[in-house]
Amino acid sequence: MAELKPLAEDALPPLLLTQEDLGKGYAQAQEQPGDRKPDDVSVQGCPSLEKLGRSGEKDMFAVKAETSFIYARDATLSEELHSDRPSVLSSKLSELFGAYISCPTYTMTSGTTPIEVKVSKAATPELGDEQFAYTLMMELPSGPQVLKTMAVRKDNIAVMLVGAPALVDRHIKTAVGKLSAGN
């Protein structure tokens, strides 16, 4: 049997979560110009993440769509959808998540601010064909912040949620459920 091909670029946005999917209290985040400056962030003390940063993860998959939400004014939930051949998604997600959990601690520098990061592998629900998850605890100048990243691959689509752990856990099943409409 031939391996599934990536979806067309316009097929992913309709599969993203919406405010209606999430329920009350969520607002679509409006990205401001200049919000994302990945060149301003570097990693020290974790060779696998340093290597990943040099190779550039932004063009890791053939097709991508993304959205983000704010919940109760301060918690965030971001979603990325990726489509590629299943073998490519599997291999690259394994590499990405493996890099993160390979170092239990490292330092991330944002601008000139060093941020201590602790990483732990996280449990995943039995959804889709493959599941990956980790939790980051960052010591920010404003205080500690915990973020969970979870990805689920289903055929030739992967959904990745990043945000407050309770929000990721609460919405991953809905996000994966929407993937069925893409195939």
Side-chain angles (χ1 to χ4, degrees), residues 3 41 45 68 94 97 121 139:
E3 188 174 42
V41 176
S68 358
S94 292
F97 280 77
K121 189 172 181 176
E139 290 296 333

Side-chain angles (χ1 to χ4, degrees), residues 108-163:
M108 178 173 67
T109 305
S110 179
T112 58
T113 306
I115 300 166
E116 296 303 314
V117 181
K118 294 179 182 165
V119 185
S120 58
K121 189 172 181 176
T124 58
E126 291 294 320
L127 295 170
D129 299 314
E130 289 181 281
Q131 316 82 26
F132 307 87
Y134 62 84
T135 303
L136 294 178
M137 188 167 119
M138 298 176 286
E139 290 296 333
L140 301 172
S142 58
Q145 181 180 13
V146 179
L147 287 177
K148 185 172 193 175
T149 301
M150 185 179 299
V152 174
R153 181 186 68 80
K154 186 173 183 183
D155 296 325
N156 60 343
I157 310 172
V159 59
M160 188 180 307
L161 295 185
V162 180

